[in-house]
Amino acid sequence: MGIAIEEAKGILVYMEQNFGAFRNVGFELLGQGRMLADKFGCELAAVVVTGENGEKLAAQAFQGGADKVYMVEGKDYERYNTDAYVYAVTELVKEYKPEGFLLGATVDGRDMAPRVAARLATGLCADCTGIGVEEEKGLIAWTRPTFGGNIMATIICPDARPQMGTVRPKVFKKPEMDASRTGEVVRFDPKMPAGTMRTEFLREEIPEGVVCNLEEAEFIVSGGRGLGTPENFKLIEDLANAFGGVVGSSRAAVDAGWINHLHQVGQSGKTVGPKVYIACGISGAIQHLAGMNSSDIIIAINKDPDAPIFTVADYGIVGDLHEVLPILTKEVNKRKG
């Protein structure tokens, strides 16, 4: 059952947490939620689902801009579980009837959001890279790439509530935290029926070398087809390690089997916004640019002076990366010492 348009009010942001700590995307969405709430003249609320540390997390949500925090806390929510989280969030939205609902386009967000939207009989604009207001109708305007990233579509949801969208991490900057802000914490018990959770967490095993936290990295060095061979990713790894950063890649390198898809940056990979992004041997197709053009500083290394990557780069080096990268790595290590 959906929410009646005349009953809907306020903007709600889902604050994703992992092991008692928020992911940055929640704060990024609070910044956009604040913009929407100010435009619509309504309240900005955050929803926090957690196993523990509820009060600490609520305080951080207030500092990030929330006026109110809806809290779901209990042992069933210690780890993300599709059945438990979808049920809890759906029941909360039914109870408090927000006008708009923002979630991160993370692994968990992409799993949960369409299920919640289906239960609420509303629409969902997924993987958004922009949020605005459609002034004439007073609706949220969601912007996302489409047709392989070749055009940008702006989508509205005029006939159902809440207006829902998932937004890619690092598209927006994290707002300044205000330690003086406080607000009201509303605890919500969804009273989950027995048997709702159909899966049980037993253990977690992560193979060595698989973890790649691109979305939170401050320094990313990415390699593309210009590397020539998978072995040359060692040049990328050496420079990334010198910076204390993370290895990224283009889709071409992933499709060639040179590196795990977890490292892929771009339209069909991860959206990143580090302090420094170094693109090595990457031509700069629009699909790749969509995933990294919000980086603070972009450095491009390519032997083709006409490569599209140079159109977005703050600094460009026209040269053979096989010669340039060892020199850069040596200089960075020298300055560290």
Side-chain angles (χ1 to χ4, degrees), residues 4 15 70 73 99 120 151 175 210 239 246 265 293 297 335:
M15 298 290 291
Y70 295 115
E73 187 174 15
E99 171 78 11
L120 296 171
I151 64 172
V210 170
L239 183 56
V246 176
V265 174
N293 60 11
I297 297 174
R335 292 169 187 268

Side-chain angles (χ1 to χ4, degrees), residues 16-329:
E16 183 176 332
Q17 60 83 26
N18 187 32
F19 296 108
F22 283 136
R23 297 195 63 184
N24 280 336
V25 67
F27 294 109
E28 295 161 15
L29 294 183
L30 280 179
Q32 293 305 295
R34 182 78 271 160
M35 177 273 293
L36 292 174
D38 290 345
K39 283 268 191 181
F40 295 143
C42 63
E43 182 179 70
L44 172 63
V47 55
V48 177
V49 183
T50 183
E52 56 184 0
N53 294 329
E55 291 296 331
K56 177 184 176 182
L57 292 173
Q60 293 176 6
F62 291 133
Q63 293 170 18
D67 301 314
K68 180 182 291 184
V69 170
Y70 295 115
M71 179 73 64
V72 179
E73 187 174 15
K75 62 181 181 63
D76 289 332
Y77 310 105
E78 290 177 354
R79 287 176 176 267
Y80 178 78
N81 176 284
T82 298
D83 294 323
Y85 274 57
V86 167
Y87 182 83
V89 171
T90 301
E91 293 304 303
L92 188 146
V93 172
K94 285 180 181 178
E95 178 70 20
Y96 296 107
K97 301 178 175 57
E99 171 78 11
F101 187 19
L102 284 62
L103 306 92
T106 61
V107 172
D108 291 353
R110 287 169 171 167
D111 178 71
M112 180 171 67
R115 291 174 166 83
V116 173
R119 286 160 175 75
L120 296 171
T122 190
L124 173 71
C125 188
D127 276 355
C128 296
T129 57
I131 299 176
V133 175
E134 201 284 317
E135 299 287 352
E136 184 177 341
K137 297 181 179 179
L139 299 171
I140 301 174
W142 311 91
T143 300
R144 71 179 308 277
T146 188
F147 289 105
N150 292 309
I151 64 172
M152 303 298 285
T154 298
I155 299 168
I156 58 174
C157 181
D159 301 324
R161 295 295 182 273
Q163 301 169 71
M164 285 184 63
T166 59
V167 181
R168 294 186 181 189
K170 294 290 186 179
V171 168
F172 300 108
K173 298 296 182 183
K174 180 179 175 180
E176 291 291 329
M177 302 292 279
D178 182 354
S180 67
R181 294 190 85 261
T182 60
E184 179 187 3
V185 176
V186 178
R187 293 191 172 273
F188 180 73
D189 180 4
K191 302 188 185 306
M192 187 165 51
T196 298
M197 294 174 62
R198 295 170 293 177
T199 59
E200 178 185 359
F201 176 81
L202 297 179
R203 64 182 181 274
E204 184 175 42
E205 296 179 359
I206 303 176
E208 185 178 354
V210 170
V211 175
C212 178
N213 195 2
L214 278 173
E215 294 161 331
E216 306 292 335
E218 294 191 345
F219 293 88
I220 298 175
V221 184
S222 283
R225 196 192 304 272
L227 286 171
T229 67
E231 290 75 21
N232 285 329
F233 257 101
K234 180 66 166 57
L235 299 172
I236 302 296
E237 293 170 5
D238 289 345
L239 183 56
N241 290 336
F243 275 114
V246 176
V247 172
S249 75
S250 68
R251 177 172 178 172
V254 171
D255 287 349
W258 294 356
I259 193 168
N260 189 285
H261 70 91
L262 294 175
H263 295 267
Q264 184 178 328
V265 174
Q267 166 70 27
S268 53
K270 294 181 180 178
T271 301
V272 300
K275 289 182 177 178
V276 178
Y277 186 87
I278 305 178
C280 310
I282 295 174
S283 64
I286 189 171
Q287 290 88 348
H288 187 79
L289 300 185
M292 44 66 75
N293 60 11
S294 63
S295 304
D296 291 345
I297 297 174
I298 299 172
I299 301 171
I301 303 171
N302 201 299
K303 64 182 180 182
D304 178 6
D306 298 318
I309 192 69
F310 288 120
T311 64
V312 299
D314 298 288
Y315 302 95
I317 300 174
V318 178
D320 187 338
L321 63 85
H322 304 89
E323 299 174 1
V324 173
L325 289 181
I327 296 172
L328 282 179
T329 302

